Amino acid sequence: MTSLRAALTQIVGDAFEAEGLPRAFGQVQDSDRPDLAQFQCNGALAAVKFLNGRPADGSPAGDAKANPRAIADKIAARLKADPLFAKVEIAGPGFLNLDVTDAMLATQLDAMRADARLGAPDTGAGRTVILDFGGPNIAKPMAVHHLRSSIIGDCLQRLYRANGWTVISDVHLGDWGLQMGQLITEIELEGTAPIYFDPNITGPYPQEPPVTMEALETLYPRASAACKANTARLEAARRATVELQAGRPGYRALWKHFVTVTEAGLTREFESLGVKFDLWNGESSVDGLIPPMIEDLKARGLAQTSEGALVVDVAREDDKKPMPPLILVKSEGGVLYGTTDLATVIERVRDHAPALILYVVDHRQHGHFEQVFRAAHLAGFAGQAELEHVGYGTMNGPDGKPFKTRAGGAMKLYDLIEMGKAEAEKRLAEQGIGADYSAAERAGIARKVGIATIKFADLSNHRTTDYVFDLERFSKFEGKTGPYLQYAAVRIQSILRKAGTFDGVPLSLTSPEERALALHLLALGDVLAAAEDKRAPNMLCDYAFELAQVFSRFYAAHHILSESDATLRAARLGLCAQVLAVLTKVLDLLGIEVPERM
Ligand code: ARG
C-alpha cells in the first residue's frame, strides 16, 4: 500500500501540475510543528525560485514577479475542494499546512490492518541485495567489531526483506589470511600432528580434528605473539600461508579442520544472538576464481608489477589523499584480503546478479573497500551492482577505548550475551517480575531481555558514532532502552488478553491522542523506506520509542478495558492491537523478541 504521506504528495503534486508547475513541488512532509498541523508542503517557496529563475523566453508574462503566497493560494484553493482534507492553511511566507479528516485516517488504518506487510514499502521488488556482515575470522575469537557488524547487518537484512528485497546474507569468514599460516606453523612446532607435515604423505588424513575450539583459542594468541617477537617465525608463517593457498595437501587438510571446528562454535554464538546467514562462504571460497582473475587483469593491462608485487593502480587524479594501489599478490606469492574481496565481487555478480552489495564492516576499513570498489569498477566486475561500505563506529569501554573484558582481553560475543542475560535477571528480580514463574520461563525472559538490552543499545546510536557500553543504563526499564519497549509491548498484550473478543468494529478516532497514534502508525512505511535508504537502524529505534510514548499518552488519557460504551471500547482495543502489531514488527526488525509476559 502507498503511505498516507505518499498519497498526499500525489494529490498536492496534481495541484501543482494543474497550475502549470512541476509536480515535484508537491512533496508533502510530516509537519515540523505538530501542534499546528499534521503535514506540510513547502513547494510554493521552491516554485517561486523556479519561476523567477526561468529564462525570460520560456516564462509566461507576469511570472517574473511570482510570489510564494500567491502560488500557495492557488494550490490551497484546489486542495480545499478535496473532502480528504480537514484543514488547508497557509502559514508564513507560503507554507501549506495540512490536516486530513479523521475518517481518512481511519480508512488508512483499516487498509494497513488488512495488509499483511503492514504498509511496508516495496522498494526492493524484483531486486537482490547481498549483505556481507559478521565477518569473523577462523580461530580468532569474535571481537566487539564483529558483534556490531552482526547486530547491524542482521537488522539490515530483516529490514531489506521487509521492504520486498531478495536478500542474500553472507558471513564472509576470514579463513584465508596469515592467521592460517601462523596456526599451521604453531602446530608444526608443537609436533602434535606430524602427519599433516610429512612431505611423503598426501592423504587421506584423519577425519578427527587434531584440535578443539578451545585449543585453537589458546594456539592462535600464542602463534601471533611468537610471530610478533620473532621475524623468522613470521617468515615461516608467511610461507605456510602461501603453501596453503597453493594447495599443499597436508595444510589444506589441517586448514579444513580449523574451519569446521570454528564454524561449529560460531554457529552456536550467532544462534544465541538470533542471527542467521544464507551463506557461510569465506575468503577461501573464491580460491578458484583468483588465477583467472589475475590473468584477466594482467591481459587487460590493469594489473602491474610493483616492487615485486602485483598491484592494481586505483589512484585518481582528483584524489585529495594518496590512494595506495590494491595489492593482488605479494612478492612471496600469497594473495591478500583485497584479492579475495575483489574475486568475491565477481562470484556474487555471477551467481546472484545483485542490484546492491552492502559491506557492513568497521569504518576503519574504509580505505580497503575504497580500493576494492575502485578496482572492481575499473575492471568492470561489478556489473549492475552498486557496491557500498556501510561503516560503523566502535563500542568503547568506560575508558573511551575499544571495549575489553575485565581481564583486558577482547570481549567475546558469547560472554557479552551472558552479561546481558545476568543483568536482565538482576533487573527482573528488582522489579519483582516473574517471581511466581517457573525457573525455565524466567530464564527465557532473561535471555530475550538480555539480548534486547545489547541490541537496542547498539542500534539506537547512529551506526557511525562510537558509543560507550554501559550495561547499567542499557538495561533500565525506563527510558530509551530495549527492555522498556519489550515491556510496553507486553503491557498491550496483557490488555488484549483481558479484553475478550472485540473484532469487527471499524476504527474511529475521537481525540487528539488517538489522532496522534494513528498518524504515528501510518508513518511506518515512510520510516522503513527512510531507514533502508540511509542504512540506518537507529531510525527504527527512534520510531519504536516514539510509538511507545504516543501510546502511553493515549493509554493515560482514555478508558480502554473499563470503557462502558461497547463500540468505543472495541475501537480503542482495535487501535491497541494495531500498535502491538507495529511495535512487534519493528522490534522484530531490530532482532528483538517480545516475551509472552514479563
Ligand atoms: N574478517 C574481516 C575482519 O575481521 C571482516 C570481513 C568483512 N567482509 C569483507 N568482505 N571484507 O576484519
Side-chain angles (χ1 to χ4, degrees):
M1 65 180 273
T2 33
S3 75
L4 176 57
R5 206 173 68 189
L8 295 177
T9 298
Q10 189 71 25
I11 293 166
V12 182
D14 288 346
F16 273 93
E17 206 165 63
E19 290 299 331
L21 290 161
R23 54 181 310 117
F25 292 133
Q27 183 63 50
V28 170
Q29 52 194 68
D30 297 338
S31 172
D32 292 339
R33 291 282 306 271
D35 52 326
L36 297 182
Q38 298 169 344
F39 297 97
Q40 70 186 57
C41 169
N42 304 345
L45 285 91
V48 165
K49 284 202 194 115
F50 166 80
L51 286 175
N52 290 343
R54 208 149 71 170
D57 56 337
S59 70
D63 271 4
K65 273 191 230 122
N67 92 60
R69 255 203 110 93
I71 295 175
D73 271 334
K74 288 188 199 162
I75 305 297
R78 290 185 180 271
L79 298 182
K80 277 180 186 156
D82 192 326
L84 194 113
F85 291 104
K87 181 174 91 180
V88 178
E89 275 175 8
I90 302 171
F95 300 113
L96 283 163
N97 277 345
L98 307 171
D99 277 358
V100 298
T101 60
D102 290 343
M104 176 63 182
L105 290 178
T107 309
Q108 286 286 115
L109 282 178
D110 278 331
M112 183 180 184
R113 190 154 58 163
D115 175 6
R117 302 174 62 238
L118 286 178
D122 219 359
T123 36
R127 295 199 287 168
T128 297
V129 58
I130 296 182
L131 265 153
D132 179 317
F133 69 95
N137 300 313
I138 294 299
K140 293 196 216 171
M142 270 205 256
V144 162
H145 76 95
H146 297 115
L147 170 77
R148 289 213 72 191
S149 174
S150 308
I151 293 178
I152 298 168
D154 184 47
C155 175
L156 292 177
Q157 82 165 324
R158 289 163 185 260
L159 173 65
Y160 277 72
R161 279 206 179 98
N163 290 354
W165 289 79
T166 300
V167 175
I168 298 169
S169 52
D170 180 10
V171 69
H172 201 76
L173 292 173
D175 61 358
W176 215 222
L178 179 65
Q179 85 269 23
M180 307 315 324
Q182 290 175 316
L183 277 175
I184 292 171
T185 19
E186 185 68 24
I187 291 180
E188 177 169 27
L189 288 171
E190 285 197 338
T192 45
I195 181 167
Y196 298 94
F197 299 91
D198 187 335
N200 300 318
I201 299 176
T202 53
Y205 294 97
Q207 298 278 309
E208 235 352 80
V211 282
T212 60
M213 185 66 206
E214 291 69 34
L216 280 182
E217 282 177 10
T218 55
L219 273 173
Y220 174 71
R222 220 185 304 148
S224 146
C227 289
K228 272 198 193 111
N230 178 337
T231 38
R233 278 296 298 274
L234 182 61
E235 270 318 305
R238 287 212 174 113
R239 270 196 313 276
T241 311
V242 173
E243 282 186 82
L244 166 72
Q245 292 178 353
R248 180 168 162 166
Y251 287 10
R252 288 278 176 129
L254 197 50
W255 166 84
K256 193 79 208 113
H257 284 309
F258 299 156
V259 174
T260 323
V261 162
T262 317
E263 263 183 26
L266 288 173
T267 309
R268 202 189 54 203
E269 290 212 45
F270 281 125
E271 252 166 31
S272 63
L273 200 61
V275 176
K276 291 200 190 82
F277 296 92
D278 300 311
L279 300 177
W280 276 76
N281 288 345
E283 295 164 357
S284 66
S285 310
V286 292
D287 182 33
L289 291 177
I290 290 177
M293 173 180 87
I294 288 176
E295 284 319 308
D296 170 41
L297 290 172
K298 280 205 241 170
R300 290 195 282 145
L302 291 166
Q304 301 90 24
T305 317
S306 161
E307 297 167 34
L310 188 71
V311 305
V312 180
D313 186 5
V314 292
R316 290 180 191 148
E317 260 176 28
D318 55 350
D319 280 336
K320 302 256 181 318
K321 281 185 275 180
M323 174 56 72
L326 179 77
I327 306 178
L328 294 174
V329 187
K330 287 194 288 188
S331 49
E332 74 264 22
V335 299
L336 289 146
Y337 187 41
T339 327
T340 50
D341 259 333
L342 190 59
T344 305
V345 173
I346 300 181
E347 183 191 45
R348 288 174 173 163
V349 169
R350 181 194 70 191
D351 294 352
H352 308 290
L356 181 64
I357 308 180
L358 297 178
Y359 297 79
V360 185
V361 185
D362 193 294
H363 64 26
R364 286 169 293 187
Q365 294 193 24
H366 183 75
H368 163 76
F369 285 108
E370 185 63 33
Q371 289 177 308
V372 171
F373 296 170
R374 285 187 185 194
H377 291 307
L378 269 177
F381 292 159
Q384 300 298 309
E386 201 185 313
L387 309 176
E388 184 181 324
H389 174 209
V390 179
Y392 53 83
T394 313
M395 179 174 117
N396 288 323
D399 58 356
K401 303 221 180 80
F403 193 78
K404 294 237 155 55
T405 57
R406 247 176 254 167
M411 185 57 136
K412 284 206 269 173
L413 182 52
Y414 182 76
D415 297 328
L416 195 66
I417 297 168
E418 288 303 308
M419 266 172 75
K421 268 200 279 190
E423 188 73 11
E425 256 157 36
K426 202 178 86 190
R427 292 277 181 186
L428 290 165
E430 262 170 35
Q431 304 273 327
I433 295 171
D436 52 341
Y437 301 172
S438 73
E441 184 176 359
R442 248 198 335 268
I445 297 173
R447 187 185 67 82
K448 289 181 182 164
V449 174
I451 289 178
T453 300
I454 290 169
K455 286 189 179 174
F456 193 86
D458 193 280
L459 294 170
S460 58
N461 298 287
H462 188 276
R463 61 180 160 75
T464 56
T465 47
D466 299 345
Y467 72 96
V468 174
F469 186 79
D470 178 357
L471 203 48
E472 170 80 24
R473 184 163 66 81
F474 298 164
S475 63
K476 289 206 163 107
F477 278 91
E478 314 85 43
K480 197 171 169 184
T481 67
Y484 166 75
L485 290 173
Q486 285 175 313
Y487 196 72
V490 165
R491 197 168 60 162
I492 305 174
Q493 283 174 176
S494 125
I495 297 172
L496 295 175
R497 261 200 297 265
K498 290 186 197 132
T501 45
F502 55 87
D503 277 350
V505 173
L507 292 174
S508 66
L509 304 165
T510 52
S511 70
E513 292 83 8
E514 286 169 333
R515 240 170 250 133
L517 202 47
L519 283 166
H520 205 75
L521 290 170
L522 293 174
L524 177 67
D526 299 322
V527 171
L528 297 185
E532 171 194 313
D533 186 50
K534 297 268 186 295
R535 318 353 176 166
N538 64 303
M539 295 174 100
L540 302 177
C541 295
D542 292 345
Y543 176 82
F545 181 59
E546 279 161 31
L547 180 60
Q549 286 186 307
V550 178
F551 178 79
S552 275
R553 287 199 278 276
F554 158 77
Y555 185 76
H558 296 288
H559 294 291
I560 299 176
L561 286 172
S562 60
E563 172 57 54
S564 51
D565 178 332
T567 316
L568 207 51
R569 180 179 185 271
R572 287 189 182 144
L573 285 166
L575 206 48
C576 291
Q578 203 155 346
V579 172
L580 179 63
V582 169
L583 190 55
T584 310
K585 173 168 180 135
V586 178
L587 288 174
D588 179 62
L589 297 182
L590 297 170
I592 294 174
E593 290 174 84
V594 178
E596 299 248 307
R597 54 179 188 169
M598 268 168 91

